Amino acid sequence: MFRPAAQPSAQVIANAEQVVLSGKPSGLLADAKALTRAAWRLSPGRFTLQGIFLVFGGFIGGVSLLLLIPIINSVAKPDGKLEVPGVGSVSIGGIPLWALLTAFVLLTLIQGLIQRASAINSARFQPMLVDTLRHQAFVAVLDARWTFVLGRRKTDIIAIVTAGASRCGAALQQLLTGAVGIITALVTAAVAFWVAPGVTAIALVGVLILAGIQVATIRPSYRLGVEFSGQSRNLQAVMQDSLDSLRLVRAHHASAVWVEQLADAFTVTREVQVEQARRTSTISVFSSVALAAAAAALVQVSVWMHVPATSIVVILLLVARLARQVQGLVGTGAQLANSLPAVQELAELTTDARAAVEVPPNSGTRTGELSAAVDLPLIAFRDVTYTYPNSDNGVRGICFTVPRGDITVLVGPSGAGKSTTADLALGLLEPESGAIEIDGTALTAGDLPWWRSHVAYVPQETVLVPGSLRENLVWSVPGGATDAQCWEALDRAAADFARDLPDGLDTVLGDRGIRLSGGERQRVAIARALLRTPALLVLDEATSSLDDDAESAVIGLMTSLAPHVTVLMIAHRQSTIDAASYVVHFDDGRVLGTTTHAAPGPLRSAHDHADAAAAD
Ligand SMILES: Nc1ncnc2c1ncn2[C@@H]1O[C@H](COP(=O)(O)OP(=O)(O)OP(=O)(O)O)[C@@H](O)[C@H]1O
Ligand SMILES: [Mg+2]
């Protein structure tokens, strides 16, 4: 008997050598082909095994049906003569009825065992495929360029990778069920044809009409499937957006707006499902009536043709079986057509994300430490231009340097291009023209893993993951950090509040734990950055929510980091700007110039602007 192997481990899935679902299939057949190819690529062994089970299961089903003929004959004419319609009277010798019945039971048992093995194989194979598709799509998204994520709704990605991948699994199951259905129907039709070619030919006309109805319904089901995908993505987006803005929703007493949007999304999704059910059940009514009419016609024709009563029973049995199989196929076909659009979406996401991979495989990567030459700037922006996709905004022709081991501050009005510049320095955005030099050499995509291993970043909006304070501190530290190192980083980031948390580093933060204030979150983010022991620390308005004491503590920390750490800060507050050795002034996507702390110089007016912003 079939003995399943051990559960496929996550490692097996992670190691699936090639991307199983690739390309951009469009349309029903292309989607079905892409899914079948994916299943084959993932495990040719399991796929073949499933195919063998299917063919045998279908074949034995047909043969056990064939046994019914001698059984019925034997019951009706216990003289040892088998009346085969179209052939005449055949002697079945001394095969007793009990032997025929035993053979029938045995065949049914074999068929059951094959179905069991097939179900177990499929129960292993289907989740393995779903998990692999998910894994490969998600890894591709995580490794894609920042602009790839910027241009997409995150809820769309989540919907495609979660619910969409599950629908791909369901589609595989339906594809296999459909294949069994077709094989069994063919075997049954062959048996029926052998038993009574003339009558079966009439029945086959009915079956072909049914098949025609099915083909006609598949395309609308596919279109409904496409609509369903869009609607379920929309539903997910509305729910996510409303939960993200929940604080504001409450404060503005605006939940009714979201409830209405949610109700609309529910209604549309439901309508799509009802439409699908309506179509499938209409076809079911038509096919039942058509089959009943065909059966009635068969009986009438058989009587006219003086077909013996036993043969009429057998023919009716065969036709009823065939009808049930064809009806099952209609349902499976509609479900399959409905699930297949998910294959297209997932294949497209995976393929596009992989095409946008940030660090191309086998691209040369710099290694080793950064230069220690003090006169060589750590970063040099050489006439860098970057424009956001589908927009005219960004930065234009910016030129400035970030000296090593010192504090450089970027200042300027809102929308001037400061955060864009920080993203460029981190390699998150790629210059459209010009170059960003690190240690005097232009930064390339292949250098990014090396460069990022030297960098720590505190973004404008601090994100904490649900989990303990320790988890929030160490997840981005290669090799982790000890508790003593965590406390040291928290102390240096002026996060005194951490000492008062009920469970220390084990205190759960975020959604289901203690919520931190904006300033407290910023200090956790600074501590997290320090734990990486970076050569460059980038802080995007990381002191904006701090009170005066905490801000001076953080500024003291930044000053103390020199000369080992180069600090690149974005700030509006004058006190932070005053701590910097170099101040780069931005306006309208351009660099106006750089002033040094010692010599504020001719760019005083831009400085005044920063004063004004700080005063706000
Ligand atoms: N994802 C984006 N897509 C399109 N345009 C963007 C995007 N992010 C920023 N921009 C635009 O690029 C310009 C520079 O934005 P940036 O975020 O760098 O400004 P900033 O100086 O950091 O402003 P602030 O002080 O308000 O944070 C702005 O005009 C902004 O509207
Ligand atoms: Mg900004």
Side-chain angles (χ1 to χ4, degrees), residues 419 460 540-541:
S419 295
Q460 199 161 358
D540 193 345
E541 301 194 27

Side-chain angles (χ1 to χ4, degrees), residues 19-27 30-38 41 132-134 136-138 140-141 148 152 160-161 164-165 168 222 339-355:
V19 174
V20 295
L21 191 59
S22 57
K24 293 192 180 188
S26 99
D31 292 354
K33 219 167 103 188
L35 183 65
T36 315
R37 204 183 311 123
R41 278 180 181 167
T132 305
L133 295 181
R134 274 198 185 125
Q136 294 190 333
F138 201 57
V141 169
F148 175 85
R152 280 176 170 74
I160 293 173
V161 175
C168 291
Y222 184 77
S339 313
L340 278 176
V343 175
Q344 188 174 332
E345 288 185 332
L346 196 61
E348 239 175 59
L349 179 71
T350 313
T351 306
D352 287 348
R354 285 183 69 85

Side-chain angles (χ1 to χ4, degrees), residues 150 388 391 393-394 413-420 460 541 572:
L150 270 187
Y388 283 99
S391 142
N393 297 324
S414 193
K418 306 179 296 293
S419 295
T420 306
Q460 199 161 358
E541 301 194 27
H572 285 296

